[in-house]
Amino acid sequence: MKKRGIKIIISAILFVLALVIPFSNEWINNGLFIISYLVVGFEILKKAVRNIFRGKVFDENFLMAVATIGAFAIGEFPEAVAVMLFYQVGELFQSYAVDKSRKSIASLMDIRPDYANIEKDGKVEKVDPDEVKIGDIIIVKTGEKIPLDGVIIEGRSSLDTMALTGESVPRVVKTEDEVLSGCINKDGLLKIRVTKEFGESTVSRILDLVENASSKKSKSENFITKFAKYYTPTVVIIAVLLAFIPPIILKDFSTFSVWLYRALSFLVVSCPCALVISIPLSFFGGIGGASKMGILIKGSNYLEALANTETVVFDKTGTITTGQFYVSKISIYDKKYTKDKVLELCAKGESLSNHPIAASIIKEYGKEVSTEDIKEHREYQGKGITYKYKDQNIKIGNSKFCNQKETKNIYLMINNNLVAELEIKDEIKESAKETIQVL
């Protein structure tokens, strides 16, 4: 872009000099026009010649080359330079827009891991993720990104999967669980056996999707590609006929230069480059603009589909709501237990969990939790917790886990008897209503 910008400025200066200053020798003016033209148009001429040898004759480079060289041939030097100059200015703006969009997309998906901690002969070595092979053991410390897909062989933690799934609630993982690259280890040391090389890992595939977001073309783009394939040669044929047929019919070849000028004007005006460029550019600009606001659209076809959307289904937690859970109500069914005792038993079990709902129960309890008398503690991911306390079998979990009908609450069961029910709520974001209205 910088090179193109410098060329445009130099060409424009020479062009203005040739137009404004009345040199005594006409060759000086024409020489300035030609130099100005070559400065800004040489790359176009080179591409046109190269594409002809590759069998891609009818493109915008060919049309620009024919039209401008033709203008020189009939003595319209200023017009030849002006056409090429304005075309290059348009290309510069296009490059700027594309570059800006690309940077926006890249910054959105800042998930590429910089390194991997690989375990070799009992020592931990920091290496490039590309160097890690299937079967290698990697160490992921608290706060680090998981660099490659794998299976946990040692450790327990909660993972921030937001960059991959958009899910704000951390995912609890333990030994033998599969984990994906790009997730962030929130707490606890994890030893992971690598199951995919970096090139095949989740993070690599997502980055590839992002970098090639414009490759999934919309119906409009596919139509324009097909249209240009037939339209461009048609324009060239009509321009040739326009240059030669009228002088033959009129039997006045002195007017040939007039009709050639008209044919070249028709060629420039009919050049489909603006149409061919503007539609993909508008989609790419849309993808880049969305990514700047934190929205990843994987291709033009998806962006086009949004125009026809009538119904939108949202994930609730962290999207419509804040993701900050709290206990709003406690219903006790066994009168032997007080509210404090229910909270204490729930807090004991949840104190060993990293789940946000567990954190909300501990916060509601508001006291220091003792876990010394807890035995056989076990957490069932996405379901609940069981443990033994003073020869009692304690179960804390959702409706499915505790065989209850209501779905939104947490249940406390002791020796398979329902003792209490905790209603957990999540506050709606202040901006949610306005956002949905705007959408």
Side-chain angles (χ1 to χ4, degrees):
M1 278 198 297
K2 195 176 178 182
K3 274 184 180 179
R4 180 176 277 158
I6 292 167
K7 285 177 182 178
I8 287 169
I9 291 166
I10 293 168
S11 177
I13 292 167
L14 293 170
F15 179 59
V16 171
L17 285 173
L19 281 176
V20 175
I21 301 172
F23 291 100
S24 55
N25 191 332
E26 192 183 345
W27 283 102
I28 297 173
N29 283 78
N30 291 344
L32 285 172
F33 281 129
I34 291 167
I35 294 167
S36 174
Y37 173 82
L38 289 173
V39 167
V40 81
F42 181 74
E43 284 298 319
I44 300 294
L45 296 175
K46 195 167 84 172
K47 282 180 187 175
V49 172
R50 190 171 59 208
N51 288 346
I52 287 168
F53 283 107
R54 290 176 177 174
K56 297 178 182 177
V57 179
F58 299 110
D59 63 359
E60 67 268 23
N61 298 303
F62 174 78
L63 290 180
M64 294 305 297
V66 170
T68 52
I69 290 169
F72 276 120
I74 60 171
E76 295 294 340
F77 284 58
E79 292 199 22
V81 180
V83 166
M84 189 62 80
L85 196 56
F86 284 123
Y87 174 76
Q88 287 286 40
V89 169
E91 288 284 293
L92 179 68
F93 281 116
Q94 179 203 333
S95 298
Y96 174 74
V98 169
D99 186 60
K100 200 172 179 184
S101 296
R102 212 178 287 278
K103 283 177 181 174
S104 297
I105 294 166
S107 64
L108 171 66
M109 298 300 286
D110 182 25
I111 57 172
R112 186 186 292 277
D114 300 317
Y115 60 88
N117 299 313
I118 189 167
E119 189 178 57
K120 284 183 180 178
D121 304 321
K123 293 180 181 179
V124 177
E125 186 183 334
K126 196 177 280 188
V127 299
D128 191 287
D130 285 313
E131 295 176 25
V132 182
K133 296 173 185 174
I134 294 171
D136 284 348
I137 306 300
I138 57 171
I139 309 291
V140 183
K141 301 171 187 173
T142 302
E144 289 184 336
K145 289 174 189 168
I146 296 176
L148 299 103
D149 295 3
V151 175
I152 298 172
I153 59 168
E154 190 180 312
R156 176 193 182 89
S157 182
S158 60
L159 303 182
D160 180 350
T161 65
M162 196 177 287
L164 302 187
T165 65
E167 177 57 69
S168 62
V169 178
R171 178 189 160 209
V172 177
V173 290
K174 58 188 185 306
T175 306
E176 295 184 6
D177 282 348
E178 286 187 14
V179 289
L180 302 177
S181 52
C183 297
I184 298 170
N185 182 17
K186 295 203 66 162
D187 46 74
L189 190 78
L190 293 176
K191 277 191 179 183
I192 300 167
R193 186 177 67 253
V194 175
T195 55
K196 289 179 184 175
E197 291 182 349
F198 183 71
E200 294 299 315
S201 65
T202 302
V203 68
S204 188
R205 294 207 318 269
I206 287 175
L207 286 165
D208 183 60
L209 270 176
V210 174
E211 286 161 8
N212 296 292
S214 59
S215 64
K216 291 185 179 177
K217 295 186 183 294
S218 64
K219 288 179 183 177
S220 306
E221 287 177 290
N222 286 327
F223 168 74
I224 288 299
T225 305
K226 288 177 184 175
F227 173 77
K229 189 179 177 182
Y230 299 104
Y231 174 83
T232 311
T234 304
V235 165
V236 173
I237 292 164
I238 293 171
V240 170
L241 294 173
L242 192 60
F244 291 99
I245 298 299
I248 293 170
I249 293 171
L250 297 170
K251 294 179 181 178
D252 183 4
F253 284 96
S254 63
T255 62
F256 175 70
S257 62
V258 174
W259 284 102
L260 180 59
Y261 179 82
R262 288 172 181 170
L264 293 170
S265 298
F266 170 77
L267 201 61
V268 173
V269 171
S270 303
C271 179
C273 56
L275 189 64
V276 174
I277 290 168
S278 63
I279 289 176
L281 182 60
S282 63
F283 277 106
F284 194 74
I287 292 167
S291 63
K292 198 173 182 180
M293 293 184 278
I295 305 161
L296 176 63
I297 299 169
K298 295 190 289 184
S300 303
N301 52 334
Y302 301 113
L303 189 62
E304 192 172 53
L306 285 172
N308 303 315
T309 301
E310 292 177 356
T311 306
V312 181
V313 181
F314 286 97
D315 170 60
K316 178 183 69 68
T317 308
T319 305
I320 303 298
T321 63
T322 60
Q324 302 296 318
F325 298 102
Y326 65 96
V327 179
S328 62
K329 184 182 176 183
I330 299 174
S331 302
I332 298 170
Y333 301 112
D334 190 331
K335 301 304 176 185
K336 289 188 293 184
Y337 295 90
T338 63
K339 179 184 171 181
D340 279 350
K341 190 63 182 174
V342 165
L343 279 171
E344 182 191 351
L345 291 172
C346 288
K348 278 180 181 290
E350 301 288 8
S351 63
L352 300 174
S353 172
N354 297 312
H355 200 280
I357 287 177
S360 70
I361 292 170
I362 293 163
K363 186 179 178 182
E364 183 68 21
Y365 180 54
K367 299 173 188 175
E368 193 174 331
V369 182
S370 171
T371 57
E372 289 177 7
D373 42 10
I374 289 178
K375 295 177 183 178
E376 298 176 26
H377 183 279
R378 189 174 177 186
E379 184 171 355
Y380 300 83
Q381 192 175 324
K383 295 177 182 178
I385 286 166
T386 59
Y387 71 94
K388 278 192 174 183
Y389 171 67
K390 293 182 179 178
D391 297 325
Q392 293 178 313
N393 293 312
I394 313 289
K395 184 187 272 191
I396 309 156
N398 59 26
S399 56
K400 195 173 181 181
F401 191 60
C402 297
N403 300 315
Q404 302 298 318
K405 289 180 181 178
E406 184 64 55
T407 56
K408 65 180 180 179
N409 300 335
I410 300 296
Y411 298 91
L412 169 66
M413 298 186 76
I414 299 176
N415 297 327
N416 286 324
N417 295 315
L418 181 63
V419 171
E421 178 183 346
L422 283 71
E423 191 172 303
I424 308 293
K425 280 193 176 178
D426 184 7
E427 289 184 339
I428 292 173
K429 284 182 180 178
E430 287 182 14
S431 59
K433 185 179 177 181
E434 184 189 348
T435 303
I436 292 167
Q437 283 174 341
V438 169
L439 285 168

